[in-house]
Amino acid sequence: QVQLVESGGGLVQPGGSLRLSCTASGFTFMRYSMSWVRQLPGKGLEWVSVINSDGRNTGYRNSVKGRFAISRDNAQNTLYLQMNVLKSEDTAVYYCVRGAEGEYDYWGQGTQVTVSS
């Protein structure tokens, strides 16, 4: 049974940082590309970042480039998203997702990130 469990969300002031984690189980984590997708309040889903199976290739939406960093630890079956210089427009529910380029098959339950003073 595939499970993706996110953690690390919370309330942070503008300019602050958070690190999201996603612990995977029930599949061979190191064989899959993984992504972070977010849902902004009252809006649709928005792709944030992707990392390939061995962690050597990454991608980011333009609005987070230079501020967010995706990484993974295949020995620990864990995906990360380091978020720096957070802005109010980053407020969203962040989902850990198995897959890439819109081809997603499993989602975590999501973790809320709120950026507010």
Side-chain angles (χ1 to χ4, degrees), residues 56-117:
R56 294 182 182 181
N57 293 300
T58 60
Y60 302 90
R61 70 178 300 105
N62 286 338
S63 62
V64 308
K65 279 181 183 177
R67 300 189 298 121
F68 289 13
I70 191 171
S71 61
R72 64 192 296 160
D73 183 340
N74 283 344
Q76 298 294 324
N77 291 345
T78 304
L79 176 72
Y80 301 100
L81 186 68
Q82 177 67 44
M83 305 186 295
N84 300 322
V85 195
L86 281 160
K87 305 176 180 180
S88 58
E89 52 263 43
D90 295 316
T91 294
V93 177
Y94 285 73
Y95 296 93
C96 167
V97 185
R98 192 175 82 170
E101 299 183 356
E103 299 286 334
Y104 308 133
D105 55 4
Y106 288 96
W107 296 64
Q109 84 286 355
T111 186
Q112 176 71 48
V113 171
T114 302
V115 185
S116 175
S117 55

Side-chain angles (χ1 to χ4, degrees), residues 7-85:
S7 61
L11 173 64
V12 63
Q13 293 187 339
S17 298
L18 282 175
R19 188 174 83 154
L20 306 183
S21 299
C22 170
T23 302
S25 61
F27 66 102
T28 306
F29 181 70
M30 68 173 64
R31 292 182 180 174
Y32 289 86
S33 294
M34 298 292 296
S35 300
W36 288 97
V37 175
R38 66 187 180 186
Q39 183 157 29
L40 282 67
K43 297 185 179 180
L45 295 168
E46 182 176 273
W47 169 75
V48 176
S49 184
V50 63
I51 188 166
N52 75 328
S53 57
D54 65 10
R56 294 182 182 181
N57 293 300
T58 60
Y60 302 90
R61 70 178 300 105
N62 286 338
S63 62
V64 308
K65 279 181 183 177
R67 300 189 298 121
F68 289 13
I70 191 171
S71 61
R72 64 192 296 160
D73 183 340
N74 283 344
Q76 298 294 324
N77 291 345
T78 304
L79 176 72
Y80 301 100
L81 186 68
Q82 177 67 44
M83 305 186 295
N84 300 322
V85 195

